[in-house]
Amino acid sequence: MVNAVLIKFILFGNLIIVCFGCSGSIKIDPPETVSNVLNEFVASEPFHYLNLDELDTQYIQLNENNIIYSIIDDVDLQIGHLSKFTQIGDRLYIYDGIGNAIFEINFDGTADGPLTSEGAGPGEHGIIRNLKSNSWHIYAVDASNGRTNVYSSGMNFIGQENNLSFLDLNDSLLLMENSLSRGVAPNNPNQGRLVIYSMDNLADTVRTMMPRIIPAGYQPQMFNTPRVSLNRENDFVANYYFLPWLFVFDELHNHTRTLIFEYSVFEEMDIPPMDFFKELTNEGFGGIRPITEFKLMDNGDIFFTVRRELFRLTLNSDNTYQMAGKYQFNHPSAEDPLWISDVFQTDDKSEILIGSWEYLFRFELP
């Protein structure tokens, strides 16, 4: 009898340790939402609650030692805004949303450009909505001309794809929003909101992922909008637009776990509630997404931003995640912390590069 009680006590203690170690809270039930599809999706694999209030903010002051490039100090190229970034080796290609052109910035801070020009001719572009690359090519989604321009790693124009509005890609996969399951009256509501294609054959649908959490015939369909970050190992992290959750997938496209974030800052943000209704009002539907941007690194770490804060999650040996850092970056000339746009890997595993609207800078990980 004593042994049985002792065993139960030990098992209960281990459960509490697991809950605290993985999530920072003792919640062990998945959240209940109005969407049964979402509830079942989350409950199908392990899920972790992560309370972001438990992290202390580290305030980082930028200086000349860690700033690689500044649009303020570069009077030659006159880049107006570091809007989009993509990386090939030790080079970054950035889209200037004000000057409407693509530039190159090396890790040593040297810059070149403009490498593209505005227009509708071969290699020219209008407003670029997405900029990604793999080992060989750079892909720029040209929203104005309804196409995607493809450039070599040296920014020579190769060709174009029509209406290829992808989300992310690497050497072997391309991930897109699934047009067949989009909208109030989708062509195929049973398909996932995210579609995976093979880069060897863009007509080859490998799989669809991320179920529709707002059913056909109901609003707000914006909740169904997927976002995704794909690393070079074919792992990826996905998100529904207005949910402060991240869904982790392995290289075989299996959903392995869900990360559910709690944060007092979310309560102050204009995040629309998820509900089902038939008609939109004349004002439409919108609000602030709680997770502004996110990036899955090749080592499994996840970086994400909530407005002007950067968070880091590190991957444990048992494939759980732990909170590793919360940062705000400041420049002496700016009143507010920098708005972080993207994060990049370097050969130094203890260092990352961070892109903001005005600066590209190094950051040594604690």
Side-chain angles (χ1 to χ4, degrees):
M1 180 68 177
V2 174
N3 289 339
V5 173
L6 179 61
I7 290 173
K8 289 182 179 180
F9 179 79
I10 293 173
L11 290 177
F12 179 76
N14 288 339
L15 176 61
I16 294 297
I17 291 172
V18 168
C19 290
F20 272 98
C22 294
S23 65
S25 78
I26 60 173
K27 294 182 179 179
I28 57 175
D29 294 323
E32 285 293 325
T33 73
V34 297
S35 172
N36 290 331
V37 172
L38 177 60
N39 297 339
E40 293 173 1
F41 185 42
V42 173
S44 66
E45 298 297 338
F47 53 89
H48 302 159
Y49 286 93
L50 296 166
N51 189 341
L52 303 180
D53 285 305
E54 295 179 359
L55 287 171
D56 293 328
T57 303
Q58 299 181 48
Y59 300 94
I60 312 300
Q61 191 80 0
L62 299 189
N63 55 56
E64 60 183 13
N65 294 324
N66 51 23
I67 295 178
I68 298 173
Y69 178 82
S70 166
I71 65 173
I72 299 171
D73 297 329
D74 190 341
V75 296
D76 296 325
L77 297 184
Q78 296 183 340
I79 298 176
H81 191 274
L82 304 179
S83 303
K84 304 287 183 183
F85 297 79
T86 192
Q87 176 185 3
I88 297 183
D90 60 354
R91 291 166 293 167
L92 293 178
Y93 292 93
I94 66 100
Y95 170 62
D96 174 10
I98 294 180
N100 200 17
I102 296 175
F103 294 78
E104 177 187 297
I105 302 177
N106 293 329
F107 283 9
D108 63 5
T110 59
D112 187 25
L115 304 177
T116 60
S117 58
E118 187 172 0
E124 298 175 336
H125 56 78
I127 297 174
I128 292 178
R129 294 299 187 194
N130 198 2
L131 186 68
K132 298 292 183 181
S133 60
N134 55 23
S135 297
W136 311 286
H137 298 142
I138 298 165
Y139 298 79
V141 177
D142 180 356
S144 302
N145 293 313
R147 66 194 187 194
T148 293
N149 286 347
V150 184
Y151 306 91
S152 70
S153 59
M155 281 305 297
N156 295 312
F157 178 66
I158 295 176
Q160 65 188 42
E161 299 281 350
N162 293 327
N163 299 319
L164 186 58
S165 185
F166 62 88
L167 298 174
D168 206 352
L169 55 84
N170 62 14
D171 289 354
S172 57
L173 300 176
L174 183 144
L175 277 58
M176 291 182 61
E177 182 178 358
N178 188 4
S179 61
L180 296 179
S181 64
R182 179 191 298 139
V184 178
N187 293 331
N188 195 334
N190 295 321
Q191 289 188 358
R193 291 296 295 116
L194 183 68
V195 61
I196 303 174
Y197 292 103
S198 169
M199 287 296 292
D200 294 331
N201 181 6
L202 295 181
D204 178 20
T205 301
V206 177
R207 191 174 177 183
T208 67
M209 314 288 296
M210 300 289 288
R212 292 173 55 92
I213 59 176
I214 305 296
Y218 287 87
Q219 296 286 0
Q221 287 295 320
M222 281 190 70
F223 264 98
N224 282 329
T225 303
R227 300 188 296 161
V228 68
S229 175
L230 172 70
N231 69 12
R232 288 182 290 191
E233 307 300 322
N234 288 342
D235 305 313
F236 62 93
V237 172
N239 165 258
Y240 291 104
Y241 197 80
F242 285 123
L243 283 182
W245 306 353
L246 292 176
F247 301 86
V248 182
F249 295 83
D250 64 18
E251 71 278 4
L252 299 178
H253 324 314
N254 296 314
H255 172 214
T256 60
R257 66 192 62 252
T258 301
L259 308 178
I260 303 167
F261 300 113
E262 299 176 315
Y263 196 19
S264 59
V265 173
F266 293 155
E267 301 171 4
E268 304 169 3
M269 298 170 66
D270 183 21
I271 304 171
M274 184 170 66
D275 203 350
F276 296 166
F277 53 88
K278 284 286 189 178
E279 302 290 339
L280 287 176
T281 66
N282 292 334
E283 297 178 355
F285 184 87
I288 296 175
R289 57 184 186 266
I291 298 177
T292 311
E293 305 289 348
F294 58 93
K295 183 76 167 282
L296 175 65
M297 312 302 273
D298 291 341
N299 65 355
D301 287 0
I302 299 173
F303 288 87
F304 66 94
T305 57
V306 177
R307 312 292 284 173
R308 298 178 185 272
E309 293 181 306
L310 177 68
F311 294 83
R312 181 192 179 199
L313 304 178
T314 55
L315 183 63
N316 298 319
S317 58
D318 60 354
N319 287 326
T320 60
Y321 279 88
Q322 66 179 6
M323 299 182 294
K326 176 167 65 172
Y327 314 99
Q328 286 189 357
F329 299 91
N330 297 273
H331 189 274
S333 65
E335 295 182 1
D336 298 319
L338 300 182
W339 190 284
I340 305 302
S341 302
D342 215 332
V343 179
F344 304 94
Q345 302 168 140
T346 71
D347 292 335
D348 185 349
K349 295 182 180 180
S350 65
E351 178 189 76
I352 58 172
L353 299 189
I354 299 177
S356 70
W357 290 343
E358 302 92 359
Y359 305 98
L360 175 66
F361 56 94
R362 292 185 175 87
F363 177 57
E364 185 173 346
L365 297 170

